[in-house]
Amino acid sequence: IFCICAMPQSADAAAIDEKGRYLALEDVQDPANLGAVIRTAEALGLRGLLLSDGCCDVYNPKVLRAGMGGTFRLPLIAAGDMRALLPQLTQPRASAAAHSPDTTALRYFFIDFLP
């Protein structure tokens, strides 16, 4: 089976829907982990993923397998350097969250990801 797939678009503030919820990923190296994140982001109703230059190839077979087709349904935006992109995304309504292994941190399923 052969197919032609578009590469992720380059990120700029215009490519990102200001009412949408996005997940920014920096330097995710394991293809199975990236695929699982894509699958989970789609299930949570996010509008897309912002991927740093250090992330593995989104068309790696392990990413495609673990993503269960989400790679082709969820917008994947090549963000380049996250430190350069994040200031472009500042808005009064914008908020940021980070992962923490701290057991007292708010669990992700208590966060409203839908706009």
Side-chain angles (χ1 to χ4, degrees), residues 3 15 19 22 26 35-36 39-41 47 56 60 69 78 88 92 94 98 109-110:
C3 65
K19 294 181 181 161
Y22 293 84
E26 187 167 25
R39 183 179 71 237
T40 303
R47 292 274 177 100
C56 62
N60 179 302
Q88 296 178 37
F109 44 82
F110 292 120

Side-chain angles (χ1 to χ4, degrees), residues 28-107:
V28 177
Q29 296 292 307
D30 187 294
N33 288 346
L34 180 56
V37 169
I38 291 170
R39 183 179 71 237
T40 303
E42 184 179 28
L44 291 172
L46 300 182
R47 292 274 177 100
L49 296 178
L50 306 172
L51 304 170
S52 75
D53 286 338
C55 287
C56 62
D57 181 12
V58 296
Y59 299 114
N60 179 302
K62 288 184 179 183
V63 174
L64 298 176
R65 190 176 319 117
M68 300 178 74
T71 306
F72 302 110
R73 292 186 297 268
L74 192 64
L76 304 174
I77 301 170
D81 180 18
M82 286 294 173
R83 284 188 235 174
L85 178 66
L86 289 178
Q88 296 178 37
L89 303 177
T90 57
Q91 303 171 16
R93 291 182 8 132
S95 64
H99 171 73
S100 171
D102 185 350
T103 58
T104 63
L106 180 66
R107 299 191 184 281

